[in-house]
Amino acid sequence: MGNDGYRVEMEHVKKSFGGVYALSDAVIHVRPGEIHALVGENGAGKSTLMKILSGALQRDAGMIRIEGQEVRFSSPKEAKAAGIATIYQEFMLAPDLTVTENIFMDRLNSEGKIIKWKSLHEQAAKLLAEMGFEDINPKRRVANLSVAYQQVVEICKSISRNVKVLILDEPTAVLTVKEIEKLFSLLKKLKENGVSIIYISHRLEEIFEICDKITVMKDGCFVDCVATTEIDKDQLMRKMVGRELTQMFPERNVKPGEVVMEVSHLMGSSQVQDVSFQVRAGEVLGFYGLVGAGRTETMRAVFGADKWSSGEIRLLGESVHFKSPKQAVAKKLGMLPEDRKRQGVLLDQSIKMNVSITVMKKVQKYGLFHKKKEAEFVKELLEKMNTKYAAIENKASSLSGGNQQKVALAKWLAADCRCMILDEPTRGVDVGAKVEIYHCINQLAEAGIAIIMVSSEMPELMGMCDNIVIMHQGKVRGVLERDEFTEDGIIFAAMGGNGE
């Protein structure tokens, strides 16, 4: 074991892409049997640093030691051979194969030419049982497992290779509360077995629950390494953002104006049952509810993405029934969907195309497409949104999550929407980007746009909204005004309170 008993030592690591530094002085030290959080805003360099450790990228400068030996991995295969495994958000599993086949994929016939299925199934079952997941059948197809169980299979695949360092990148993003508990009990078992775990997450409460140490990064540099017991959430956020977070939510000085959209007795799927609400110009109207309450389904029906059977929607005084989102956009209604990567942003297209897609007419001159006009228009909007990007010709996938979200917002701003539906606008972005998105939303409200904000984060709704609609099982359980907001009141209604 190397210096001070560290298993992983990464010191003064540098990495640049096309002249832009992703890492300029990154440092992390991890001991055996330690769960070590790696935190920082989007774009702080966390994933780049881990890609270097796992052999997917090469460092430009700096030192990496594993158990005291200096290493330079030229491929993920070399890193795996040294006991380093990474579990990404998108799993590297073959869905049509069984659990056993996935765990032992490249070693199915390691004992000779004939595959000994009985022995392999037994080994897989033993591994799963050791991890506390004896209820996973090794003969089941991976495609038929829940997301959490797929993650367990991915981790077992790594453990079966004698893993020393396990890197988890946002592992709970797609898990339910129950599944997260199971993952945490699994990580604790691995920790007891001496595995070093590097845990990247935006969810600070998880970090305080499970991690021993926290390394903070900002702008590609090491900021600090602290024991979880010696810091609180506010102090940690301050280190990540590098500024005081006295004002997480911008002040709201908007006096809501006339009613822009009114929904009366809307009936749609089983999750849209007699829903009524209204939103005014300059108002931020929150929608809160537990999973399955019907918030997203209601918004999809209003936007013309899903069918509805009865009720009325009035937009700018006119009764409307959109058969498609395209019709909604033509009437100045915009929607930022919950699934940014699949529906909100075209990741393989340029930033420029993503912004100007809704307004081709605006960037034409005498009926012809005008490139210079388009570029000026796009840059001006991105500046309004305080977006960080290298060039508007770059693909949207080159942006951090927070900046992708700003591009998606800019698209609707370009379309002169009078009403905007934002479904989970800050999901998966870091603290600093959240604050900037809140400012963007506030700017839109100040410009007189009616904003509907669906969110699962109660502090966010309480900090941003003028009124909050609370849904439970497809019905509206209450509408709270700003001076009535309390966490208890909101949760009570969301759980079907109010005398039910």
Side-chain angles (χ1 to χ4, degrees):
M1 196 62 64
N3 176 23
D4 284 341
Y6 291 119
R7 178 170 279 155
V8 177
E9 297 167 86
M10 298 183 81
E11 293 181 352
H12 311 299
V13 177
K14 290 183 163 63
K15 178 71 184 173
S16 68
F17 298 98
V20 178
Y21 271 102
L23 298 174
S24 45
D25 185 15
V27 178
I28 187 169
H29 294 139
V30 187
R31 296 178 190 277
E34 175 175 270
I35 304 182
H36 196 114
L38 181 58
V39 304
E41 299 185 70
N42 281 342
K46 309 180 295 284
S47 297
T48 306
L49 187 63
M50 290 302 104
K51 279 178 181 161
I52 290 171
L53 178 57
S54 64
L57 289 173
Q58 313 303 305
R59 65 188 187 268
D60 297 339
M63 163 91 76
I64 302 177
R65 282 190 290 264
I66 302 293
E67 298 190 323
Q69 299 295 311
E70 192 177 341
V71 293
R72 182 182 276 278
F73 301 131
S74 59
S75 70
K77 197 173 175 186
E78 283 183 18
K80 272 183 190 157
I84 292 165
T86 307
I87 312 290
Y88 293 104
Q89 281 175 306
E90 289 81 24
F91 303 141
M92 306 293 183
L93 295 172
D96 292 332
L97 299 183
T98 64
V99 170
T100 300
E101 286 166 335
N102 269 285
I103 291 175
F104 298 110
M105 187 148 340
D106 49 358
R107 295 158 293 162
L108 288 171
N109 55 356
S110 56
E111 295 173 24
K113 286 190 178 162
I114 296 166
I115 298 176
K116 297 181 177 169
W117 285 114
K118 188 164 182 281
S119 154
L120 285 173
H121 285 317
E122 281 169 2
Q123 283 179 57
K126 184 170 177 256
L127 256 180
L128 290 160
E130 278 171 11
M131 295 296 117
F133 288 87
E134 49 284 315
D135 53 337
I136 298 179
N137 180 346
K139 295 178 185 174
R140 270 190 84 178
R141 273 178 67 222
V142 160
N144 299 335
L145 297 176
S146 70
V147 176
Y149 279 2
Q150 287 181 19
Q151 197 174 48
V152 170
V153 172
E154 184 95 84
I155 292 172
C156 281
K157 192 166 98 180
S158 303
I159 293 161
S160 69
R161 300 162 189 273
N162 210 357
V163 69
K164 293 176 182 171
V165 181
L166 186 65
I167 302 163
L168 295 159
D169 194 352
E170 296 287 352
T172 61
V174 286
L175 303 185
T176 65
V177 175
K178 276 264 185 307
E179 291 171 337
I180 291 170
E181 282 172 15
K182 286 197 161 172
L183 172 69
F184 283 2
S185 65
L186 172 51
L187 296 183
K188 283 170 187 160
K189 280 209 172 90
L190 295 177
K191 173 183 163 169
E192 283 165 19
N193 295 342
V195 177
S196 303
I197 297 167
I198 301 176
Y199 191 92
I200 300 178
S201 178
H202 286 311
R203 298 181 172 182
L204 300 186
E205 54 283 348
E206 286 179 5
I207 285 167
F208 282 98
E209 182 179 338
I210 195 161
C211 298
D212 306 301
K213 286 267 179 73
I214 306 172
T215 288
V216 184
M217 288 181 70
K218 179 169 169 56
D219 299 333
C221 293
F222 169 80
V223 174
D224 202 356
C225 177
V226 287
T228 317
T229 49
E230 289 168 11
I231 194 168
D232 65 27
K233 212 165 157 182
D234 283 349
Q235 291 167 324
L236 181 59
M237 280 156 96
R238 231 169 276 144
K239 283 184 190 293
M240 283 163 63
V241 180
R243 58 173 181 261
E244 289 290 324
L245 276 182
T246 45
Q247 198 63 55
M248 202 45 194
F249 303 104
E251 270 183 46
R252 298 197 32 77
N253 316 319
V254 186
K255 291 269 181 288
E258 78 284 0
V259 173
V260 172
M261 183 164 70
E262 186 163 14
V263 173
S264 310
H265 307 295
L266 193 68
M267 300 287 284
S269 66
S270 61
Q271 285 172 301
V272 185
Q273 296 288 315
D274 193 24
V275 175
S276 300
F277 64 90
Q278 61 177 33
V279 59
R280 300 169 179 275
E283 177 184 6
V284 180
L285 176 69
F287 263 75
Y288 185 77
L290 305 176
V291 173
R295 298 164 305 168
T296 296
E297 291 75 9
T298 299
M299 296 311 149
R300 284 178 59 85
V302 168
F303 192 57
D306 289 347
K307 290 191 172 82
W308 51 276
S309 49
S310 66
E312 187 183 26
I313 301 173
R314 294 184 74 80
L315 183 62
L316 298 166
E318 181 190 343
S319 188
V320 294
H321 189 155
F322 302 128
K323 298 286 190 286
S324 70
K326 193 176 173 187
Q327 291 181 356
V329 175
K331 290 286 187 186
K332 307 292 187 199
L333 176 63
M335 180 164 174
L336 192 67
E338 179 180 10
D339 188 341
R340 179 175 67 236
K341 289 205 162 61
R342 286 212 201 105
Q343 301 163 338
V345 182
L346 301 168
L347 290 177
D348 289 334
Q349 299 296 336
S350 68
I351 297 167
K352 179 171 70 177
M353 150 105 177
N354 267 285
V355 176
S356 61
I357 190 168
T358 53
V359 288
M360 289 306 183
K361 282 200 181 76
K362 275 194 189 175
V363 292
Q364 288 175 359
K365 206 171 188 179
Y366 314 123
L368 297 171
F369 197 66
H370 197 283
K371 281 196 164 164
K372 188 169 176 238
K373 197 172 175 190
E374 181 192 25
E376 285 168 4
F377 178 72
V378 168
K379 283 178 182 167
E380 189 185 319
L381 276 173
L382 292 174
E383 198 174 316
K384 262 189 193 168
M385 291 286 169
N386 201 5
T387 315
K388 293 185 183 79
Y389 63 96
I392 57 173
E393 284 74 25
N394 289 5
K395 286 185 175 179
S397 56
S398 68
L399 298 171
S400 69
N403 284 308
Q404 284 177 18
Q405 195 68 312
K406 289 182 196 172
V407 165
L409 276 170
K411 172 178 75 179
W412 294 119
L413 191 58
D416 290 333
C417 286
R418 295 291 306 279
C419 182
M420 266 161 113
I421 299 167
L422 311 177
D423 197 352
E424 301 286 1
T426 66
R427 172 165 288 168
V429 306
D430 59 82
V431 180
K434 276 186 178 180
V435 173
E436 293 198 339
I437 290 169
Y438 297 149
H439 279 282
C440 292
I441 293 169
N442 221 20
Q443 279 173 344
L444 298 172
E446 279 172 10
I449 298 170
I451 307 278
I452 295 171
M453 184 171 171
V454 177
S455 174
S456 304
E457 293 195 30
M458 206 185 305
E460 174 170 282
L461 290 176
M462 291 172 71
M464 286 296 296
C465 299
D466 302 299
N467 298 290
I468 301 177
V469 175
I470 297 148
M471 289 186 71
H472 172 73
Q473 292 181 350
K475 296 189 167 91
V476 172
R477 287 289 167 199
V479 182
L480 298 179
E481 292 179 13
R482 194 167 188 119
D483 57 3
E484 303 172 311
F485 294 172
T486 65
E487 291 203 12
D488 292 353
I490 293 171
I491 279 286
F492 182 68
M495 292 179 81
N498 296 3
E500 274 249 325

